[in-house]
């Protein structure tokens, strides 16, 4: 044994230290006293339980599971296994030796091993072992858990505890393996362990239940191995017995027969013993725990039963056990469903075992098929793999509908699912070869791959819902790359004539084959999944790089010869030509020279020339332009040959365009359709080639600008000509910018570019007012791009010499861009469809239109984010956040996030401006009488709540922004006078209800300051109003007061206020002399006083004047000392209405007589509110009297035992207790983002929290200090 002092362990027994682990205390019984008693072996009648059998005396050198030898304390089994420095075999051997010496002591070690592995800090003593039943021991150990933590060894993270779990399982397996010949049959050790584990698995403590279930399942697996060995030995013994008995009498050995019979009998008895043990574990643990409330426990059970069925299929692979796996496939947790599938996969890997699962498969096949669409991707992947194994075991099990439900998953965006579905598809369609296919050639049209490629094309065309060939190729690549790389066969299918009796490919099938061929070429050369599937390019290994180079060489050698032939055959087909022209960009251009393929290059260039000459489709022209751009690479020797051909082509195009344009713009002649078509065709080709090639030397700006100007003046220019002229002019300016030198030697070029750019922007601005939607969209896109490119950021990275090119949009242009967005983007889908076609478009066209509008909105939002246009223009965008959340929510949210990173204050002002816009729109639609329950108002308030959530949890970072938001909101609420005249609420007062959604984002100091700023706008009469129309003001004021340092406000109601008693100034001064203001209050106040001093001198007019002037607006120098604290509106603490209503009336009348001349604003408000609230208090008297009676005694005793709080009150009241809880909760939850709720804490917790509160929180005089009151926010 290893000495304990040599190793540091985290788990120690009570004599050493407190354990760092504890139970999760996942108890149905909070006290943990009613744990169920451990079960005994149901099938072993007459067996003794653990408590009945362990009656022997223990050696003297033992204490709580620790051996003591020569004064040195040795380690427990748990500590040895946890440290893992000793081999499991040697640890088990040592335990067996101890068991043979004294089985009671060894068994007690093993019992404590399971107890400690559960994280329990206690240990079973010898006395408990001798005299207590299992249930009593478990109940005692339950009390030993540390309830402050929910961790235990099996749930702890880290490499040590992962290794411990493995060592724990290995220990049980090795223990059974080493004891399988004698000890497990002694009717003591195994019975005691199984009884203990069964009892622990029924415990309400999660740690016991989890650990014992894992131990029991591993014990069962070990017993299954023993039973399997016994079964094999019995079969061998039976064969030996039969062989010996079949011998002739002269050669038969009767002694050997008797020996074999005796051996078989012993083996049978042992087999019966093992079966009884397994039956006890299965019925006592598995049957109950496979449906445990903890998913990990259920997963353990299913994983192990799968092992049993695989190891000992004769005993366990039947419906009695398979049903548990089938039922658990409906588990709510993906972890458990995953274990079911992996368990079944291990069975279907064997054809012999798979054949015995026919009944199970027919019963649960539909469930397995449905799991291919599981919300957990890992589960769906394993379900598809299981169906693939089922398909291999039997072709008749899965129906055509079952297979089709898997087929479409090859188009899944999650690549593991798609690859698994591709493997299923490949096994289903391509793995079966008939005898007639064995003699077919390997390559070519008549090869086996030829028919398989046709099958792939047929499948691709039949999946009408998906037209993504790249996704299909990527799904089949891992299992069918050899087939997809057979480009020779694909070319043969496209070029060769079909044989006699062979059905030729249709035009649609040829188009699909060309697309799949291009996708296979791209996959082989790029070696990464298509866009939308996968996280990006991965690093290739040496073998993969070599394969990539070899494939690229094959592609170049093969298609350099075949591509001109394919282009010649399909020259007039737009789809085929567009795909074929993309293949050259994957060529290794050196092979044209090294392989002496120049003549094929010339043929390719001739075919590209013919294609661009015959086509006017923009996709084909752009493909031609891109191919020329790739071939015109100066690094390769073929550059001169390709460049000459390109220059000749461009010369011809420009000359033709200039000639046609002169005829087209001749005065006095109306151009016919043929002239228009010719000009448009030439303009498309020039625009497509100008995208990838520099055409600056031909000076195309003048021609295009002239064309655009003529169209603007006459107004009858065809829209396509205008669109492509804009696009071409845009390319001209960009190429000119790219050629601007870094130095100032060519200043004239920069001035020319500046003039051209500004003139073109002005032209596009005029086209924003066009009646043609497509023209307006093109003008908008071009303007947004140019404004971004020529913004102030053009001077970044040391390019200050480009400052003359900076172009900032004026207010008119900004307004026109914004109006375009509002008119063209924020529209209903049906309205857009009807305005374009007059018919209901299909789903694809709707998606395409939405994609186009999203691009328009994103282009404008980039202008906001990069400060090209004013940030406040984003208010019109932000206000659409809720209405168009499904369409543009991600774009708008990202824009808000980016603008907040640039300027938090301006972003907050923009957000509140958007809410103000919606509020004004609501007033114009519904009238001045705002219904706060209307859907429009609730929508604005919900939008405000969403805006509030975007500010996050760090209130210090957004402090100034939130304050300015409240400032703007308050000013807007009191901006317009009341339409009802003096005495009525301001027109926008209801906006305060919306503004209250941001109150939770204010820190405590700022709530008080914002409240003071609010009072600047309030008149004396406003503070007295309690009608429904004034509720927004009341609720907003309450939202600013909740969580503040003032304890005088009730937290029971957020709207109505109750009666309160007024303390005299003498009592306040006396209280102030007893208490000190905490340092953190003073520091917060000083910080608050200086964080926005730049707004301190701002004057805000009061909308409704009153004969009384608030002391907030007075000069502080002229205020009396006793009035120095009156700038904060406070209400003294309430008193019990039963005992103090009359006393309050007398006290207030007396104060009014003595201090009427010197009364200040807040005292008047307090006095008037008290008069009004007395009536309400009387009405509530009967309803709350019973409530007070029930709680008075508890609260009164708790408050009097406290630290002397509220000593001026005759008795504490419930609201004060609730206030203490509210203050503590506010301290804890400050910065958290959730809705406010009312929490009624029990009296014991209130007493505990109240004793922890600082006394000054409850004394108004202690917080009414000059340092607090002189804080100015704005």
């Amino acid at each position: 044994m290893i000495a304990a002092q040599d190793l540091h362990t985290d788990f120690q027994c009570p004599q050493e230290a407190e354990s760092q682990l504890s139970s999760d205390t996942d108890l149905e019984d909070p006290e943990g006293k009613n744990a169920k008693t451990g079960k005994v072996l149901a099938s072993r009648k007459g067996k003794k339980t653990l408590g009945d059998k362990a009656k022997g005396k223990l050696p003297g050198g033992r204490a709580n599971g620790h051996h003591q030898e020569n004064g040195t304390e040795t380690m427990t089994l748990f500590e040895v296994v946890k440290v893992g420095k000793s081999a499991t075999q040697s640890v088990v051997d040592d335990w067996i030796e101890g068991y043979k010496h004294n089985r009671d002591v060894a068994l007690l070690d093993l019992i404590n091993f399971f107890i400690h592995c559960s994280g329990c800090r206690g240990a079973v003593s010898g006395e408990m072992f001798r005299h207590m039943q299992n249930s009593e021991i478990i109940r005692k150990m339950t009390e030993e858990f540390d309830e402050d933590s929910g961790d235990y060894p099996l749930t702890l993270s880290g490499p040590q505890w992962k290794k411990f779990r493995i060592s724990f399982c290995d220990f049980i397996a090795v223990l059974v393996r080493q004891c399988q010949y004698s000890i497990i049959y002694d009717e003591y050790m195994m019975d005691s362990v199984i009884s203990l584990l069964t009892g622990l698995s029924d415990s309400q403590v999660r740690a016991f239940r989890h650990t014992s279930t894992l131990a029991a399942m591993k014990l069962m697996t070990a017993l299954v191995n023993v039973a399997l060995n016994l079964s094999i030995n019995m079969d061998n013994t039976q064969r030996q017995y039969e062989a010996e008995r079949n011998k002739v009498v002269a050669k038969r050995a009767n002694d050997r027969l008797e020996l074999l019979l005796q051996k078989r009998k012993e083996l049978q008895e042992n087999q019966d013993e093992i079966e009884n043990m397994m039956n006890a574990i299965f019925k006592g643990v598995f049957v109950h725990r496979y449906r445990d409330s903890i998913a990990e426990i259920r997963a353990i059970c299913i994983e192990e039963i799968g092992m049993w069925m695989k190891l000992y299929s004769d005993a366990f692979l039947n419906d009695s056990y398979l049903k548990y796996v089938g039922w658990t496939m409906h588990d709510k947790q993906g972890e458990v469903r995953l274990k079911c599938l992996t368990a079944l996969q291990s069975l279907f890997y064997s054809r012999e075992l798979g054949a015995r699962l026919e009944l199970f498969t027919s019963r649960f096949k539909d469930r397995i098929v449905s799991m291919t669409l599981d919300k957990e991707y890992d589960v769906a992947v394993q379900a598809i793999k299981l169906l693939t194994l089922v398909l291999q075991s039997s072709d008749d099990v899965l129906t055509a509908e079952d297979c089709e439900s898997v087929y479409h998953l090859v188009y899944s965006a999650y690549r593991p699912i798609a690859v698994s579905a591709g493997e299923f598809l490949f096994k289903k369609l391509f793995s079966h070869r008939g005898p007639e296919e064995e003699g077919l050639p390997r390559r070519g049209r008549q090869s086996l791959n030829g028919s398989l490629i046709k099958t792939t094309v047929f499948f691709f065309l039949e999946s009408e819902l998906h037209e993504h060939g790249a996704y299909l190729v990527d799904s089949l690549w891992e299992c069918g790359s050899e087939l997809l790389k057979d480009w020779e066969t694909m070319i043969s299918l496209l070029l060769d004539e079909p044989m006699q009796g062979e059905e030729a490919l249709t035009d649609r099938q040829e188009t699909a084959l060309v697309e799949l061929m291009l996708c296979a070429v791209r996959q082989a050369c790029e070696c990464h999944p298509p866009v939308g599937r996968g996280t990006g390019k991965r690093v290739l290994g040496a073998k993969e790089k070599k394969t990539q180079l070899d494939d690229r060489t094959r592609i170049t050698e093969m298609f350099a010869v075949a591509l001109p032939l394919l282009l010649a055959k399909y020259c007039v087909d737009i789809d085929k030509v567009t795909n074929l022209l993309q293949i050259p960009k994957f060529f290794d251009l050196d092979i044209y020279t090294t392989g002496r393929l120049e003549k094929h290059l010339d043929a390719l260039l001739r075919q590209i020339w013919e294609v661009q000459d015959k086509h006017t489709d923009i996709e084909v022209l752009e493909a031609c332009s891109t191919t020329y751009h790739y071939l015109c690479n100066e690094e390769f020797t073929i550059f001169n040959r390709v460049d000459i051909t390109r220059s000749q082509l461009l010369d011809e195009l420009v000359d033709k365009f200039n000639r046609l344009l002169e005829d087209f713009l001749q005065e006095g002649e109306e151009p016919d359709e043929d002239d228009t078509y010719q000009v448009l065709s030439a303009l498309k080709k020039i625009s497509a080639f100008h995208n990838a090639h520099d055409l600056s030397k031909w000076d195309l700006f003048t021609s295009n600008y002239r064309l655009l100007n003529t169209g603007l003046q006459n107004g009858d220019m065809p829209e396509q000509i205008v669109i492509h002229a804009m696009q071409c002019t845009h390319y001209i300016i960009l190429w000119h910018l790219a050629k601007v030198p870094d130095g100032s030697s060519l200043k004239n070029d920069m001035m020319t570019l500046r003039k051209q750019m500004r003139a073109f922007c002005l032209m596009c601005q005029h086209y924003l007012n066009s009646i043609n939607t497509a023209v307006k969209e093109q003008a908008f896109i071009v303007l947004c791009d140019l404004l971004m490119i020529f913004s102030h950021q053009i001077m970044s990275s040391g390019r200050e010499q480009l400052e003359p090119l900076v172009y900032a949009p004026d207010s008119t242009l900004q307004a026109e861009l914004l109006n375009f967005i509002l008119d063209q983007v924020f529209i209903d889908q049906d309205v857009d469809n009807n305005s374009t076609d007059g018919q209901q478009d299909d789903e694809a066209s709707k998606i395409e239109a939405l994609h186009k509008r999203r691009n328009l909105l994103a282009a404008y939002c980039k202008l906001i984010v990069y400060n090209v246009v004013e940030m406040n223009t984003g208010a019109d965008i932000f206000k659409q956040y809720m209405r168009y959340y499904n369409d543009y929510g991600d774009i708008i949210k990202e824009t808000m996030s980016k603008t907040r990173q640039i300027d938090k204050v301006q972003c907050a002002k923009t957000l509140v401006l958007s809410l103000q816009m919606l509020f004004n729109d609501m007033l114009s639609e519904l009238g001045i009488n705002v219904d706060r329950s209307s859907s429009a108002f609730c929508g604005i308030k919900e939008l405000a709540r969403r805006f509030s959530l975007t500010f996050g949890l760090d209130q210090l970072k957004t402090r100034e922004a939130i304050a300015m938001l409240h400032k703007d909101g308050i000013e807007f609420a009191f901006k317009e006078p009341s339409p009802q005249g003096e005495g009525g609420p301001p027109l926008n007062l209801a906006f305060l209800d919306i503004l209250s959604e941001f109150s939770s984002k204010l820190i405590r100091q700022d709530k008080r300051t914002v409240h003071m700023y609010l009072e600047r706008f309030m008149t004396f009469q406003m503070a007295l109003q309690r009608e429904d129309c004034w509720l927004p003001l009341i609720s907003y004021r309450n939202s600013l007061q909740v969580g503040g340092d003032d304890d005088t406000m009730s937290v029971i109601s957020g709207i109505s206020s109750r009666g309160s008693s007024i303390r005299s100034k003498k009592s306040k001064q006396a209280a102030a002399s007893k208490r000190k203001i905490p340092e953190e209050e003073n520091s917060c106040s000083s910080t608050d006083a200086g964080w926005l001093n730049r707004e301190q001198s701002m004057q805000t007019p009061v909308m409704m004047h009153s004969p009384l002037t608030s002391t907030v607006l007075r000069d502080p120098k002229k205020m009396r000392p006793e009035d120095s604290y009156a700038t904060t509106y406070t209400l003294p603490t309430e008193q019990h209405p039963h005992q103090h209503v009359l006393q309050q009336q007398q006290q207030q009348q007396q104060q009014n007589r003595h201090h009427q001349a010197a009364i200040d604003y807040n005292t008047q408000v307090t006095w008037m509110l008290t008069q009004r609230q007395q009536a309400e208090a009387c009405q509530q008297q009967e309803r709350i009297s019973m409530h007070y009676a029930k709680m008075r005694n508890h609260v009164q005793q708790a408050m009097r035992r406290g630290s002397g709080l509220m000593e001026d009150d005759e008795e504490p009241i419930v609201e004060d207790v609730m206030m203490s809880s509210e203050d503590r909760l506010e301290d804890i939850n400050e910065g958290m983002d959730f809705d406010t709720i009312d929490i009624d804490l029990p009296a014991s917790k209130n007493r505990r929290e109240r004793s922890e509160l600082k006394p000054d929180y409850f004394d108004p005089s202690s917080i009414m200090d000059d340092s607090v009151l002189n804080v100015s926010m704005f």
Side-chain angles (χ1 to χ4, degrees), residues 124-140:
V124 180
S125 64
E127 188 70 19
M128 296 167 58
F129 184 61
R130 288 192 301 269
H131 301 293
M132 296 176 66
Q133 296 290 330
N134 279 353
S135 59
E136 297 172 341
I137 293 176
I138 295 172
R139 186 180 300 111
K140 180 67 176 177

Side-chain angles (χ1 to χ4, degrees), residues 431-439 448:
S431 298
H432 304 286
R433 298 184 181 182
E436 68 280 359
E437 297 177 342
E438 295 297 332
L448 174 61

Side-chain angles (χ1 to χ4, degrees), residues 411 455-466 508:
Y411 299 102
T455 304
T456 307
V457 171
F458 298 155
F459 172 80
F460 179 54
L461 292 176
E462 288 177 0
S463 55
E464 298 177 353
L465 297 178
H466 305 278
R508 185 164 174 258

